[in-house]
Amino acid sequence: MTNTTPIKRIGYYARKKTIDVTEGTISNSNKFKKFAVDTADVFLFLFNVVRNTFSRGFEFREFTKQCFEIGNKSLPLISITGVIIGLVLTIQSRPVLVDFGAETMLPGMVAISIIREMGPVICALICAGKIGSGMGAEIGSMRVTEQIDAMEVSSTNPIRFLIVPRVLAATLMLPLLVLYADALGILGSWAGANIKGDVSFVLFITQAFGDVEFIDLIPAFIKTFFFGAVIGLTGCYKGYNAGRGTESVGIAANSAVVMASLLVIVVDLIAVQITDML
C-alpha cells in the first residue's frame, strides 16, 4: 500500500498536467481562430466599403448631409482645442527660449509644432471621440432596431447607403478641420505671446510662416486623410457589427473610440517614419 500511493499520485499529476496542456492548447486555438475570423471580417468590411465607393449609385445627398453633420458639430470643440494648443505651447516654450536668447524663434517653432504634429494628432483624437463614437452609436442603434436588416431584406445596400457616405465624409472633413485648428492654434500662439510681451500680428505671422517649409505642410496634411478614413471606418465597423441588445450600442460606441484612437496613433507613427525617410 505504501509503495503504490506515490505511483498513484504521480499518475494523477501526470493526467492533470496532460488535461491542463490540452485545455490550454484548445483555448489558444480558439483565440487564434477568433482573431483570424475577426481579421478576415475587418478586411471583408473594408473591401465592401471600397467596392461600393467606386460603384454606381453614390448617395451624394447623404454624403453632403454627413459632411455638414461632422463639420458643424465638431467646429466648437475644434475651435477651443486649436486656441488652447497654441496658447499652451507658447506659454510653455517662451520662458525657455527667453533664457537662451532665442525668443524670436518662438513663432516659427510653435507654427511648425502645430502644423506637423500637435494640430493633426490632437484634432484626430478629439474627432475619434466625437465622430467615431457618434457613428458607432448611430449605426449600432440601426442594427439593434433591425433597420439594417430591413434594408437588406428590401434589397437596399446598407454599405452603400449608410457606410460609404460616412467614411468619405470623415475622410474629407478631417483635413479641413485640422487646417482650421492649425489657423486658430497660431492665432492662440500670438495671443499667448502678447500676454508677457508686445508682438504685432503681422510680424508674428511673418516669422511663423517664414520658418514653415513645404515638407512641413504636405505630409502633415496628407496623413489627416488617413486619420479621417480610420475614424470613419472604425466607427461604422463597430456599429455595423454591434450585437442585438441595447447595451451593444454603448459597447460599440466605446470600442469605436478606443480602436480609432489607437489606430490614429499607429498611423501617425507610420507617417512620421515615412516623413523621416524623405
Side-chain angles (χ1 to χ4, degrees):
M1 186 66 184
T2 54
N3 294 331
T4 58
T5 301
I7 296 175
K8 288 182 178 179
R9 287 179 179 174
I10 292 173
Y12 168 75
Y13 286 121
R15 287 194 298 272
K16 187 176 185 302
K17 184 68 176 177
T18 304
I19 292 172
D20 291 342
V21 170
T22 304
E23 289 178 346
T25 304
I26 294 173
S27 176
N28 291 333
S29 176
N30 290 335
K31 289 179 180 177
F32 178 76
K33 287 180 180 177
K34 186 178 184 304
F35 175 76
V37 170
D38 291 343
T39 304
D41 195 38
V42 169
F43 279 102
L44 181 62
F45 182 81
L46 179 62
F47 172 75
N48 284 330
V49 172
V50 173
R51 186 186 63 179
N52 283 279
T53 301
F54 297 100
S55 63
R56 291 184 177 181
F58 180 71
E59 298 290 341
F60 187 75
R61 181 176 296 180
E62 181 67 16
F63 167 71
T64 54
K65 177 186 173 185
Q66 293 301 323
C67 286
F68 176 77
E69 292 284 332
I70 292 172
N72 186 44
K73 290 184 177 178
S74 303
L75 270 182
L77 195 56
I78 294 297
S79 302
I80 296 171
T81 303
V83 173
I84 290 176
I85 290 173
L87 273 173
V88 170
L89 275 177
T90 303
I91 294 171
Q92 291 286 339
S93 305
R94 189 173 183 276
V96 178
L97 293 176
V98 169
D99 291 341
F100 286 97
E103 189 177 359
T104 55
M105 296 176 62
L106 180 66
M109 188 197 73
V110 172
I112 292 174
S113 300
I114 291 175
I115 291 173
R116 292 194 63 161
E117 194 64 27
M118 299 297 290
V121 173
I122 293 180
C123 283
L125 291 176
I126 289 176
C127 288
K130 186 170 182 57
I131 300 172
S133 64
M135 288 183 179
E138 186 180 12
I139 303 294
S141 299
M142 293 181 179
R143 173 64 74 186
V144 171
T145 55
E146 299 182 351
Q147 295 181 51
I148 295 178
D149 296 335
M151 294 175 69
E152 292 172 344
V153 171
S154 61
S155 300
T156 303
N157 189 343
I159 297 291
R160 181 182 301 170
F161 186 77
L162 296 176
I163 308 301
V164 171
R166 284 168 172 78
V167 173
L168 284 182
T171 304
L172 295 180
M173 290 306 297
L174 194 70
L176 299 179
L177 291 172
V178 169
L179 288 178
Y180 175 69
D182 290 347
L184 287 182
I186 294 173
L187 187 62
S189 177
W190 171 70
N194 278 277
I195 292 177
K196 293 185 178 179
D198 186 14
V199 183
S200 70
F201 180 74
V202 176
L203 177 62
F204 188 89
I205 295 298
T206 303
Q207 290 180 340
F209 285 99
D211 293 334
V212 176
E213 297 180 356
F214 187 75
I215 193 67
D216 298 321
L217 182 61
I218 297 303
F221 183 67
I222 292 175
K223 70 181 180 183
T224 55
F225 287 95
F226 291 94
F227 289 165
V230 163
I231 293 169
L233 282 169
T234 306
C236 290
Y237 173 78
K238 291 295 182 181
Y240 195 78
N241 291 279
R244 296 293 179 180
T246 53
E247 71 277 3
S248 301
V249 178
I251 294 174
N254 290 332
S255 59
V257 174
V258 175
M259 185 61 69
S261 301
L262 181 62
L263 290 176
V264 164
I265 294 173
V266 172
V267 171
D268 182 60
L269 177 62
I270 296 172
V272 169
Q273 295 296 325
I274 294 174
T275 305
D276 285 343
M277 291 188 293
L278 298 178

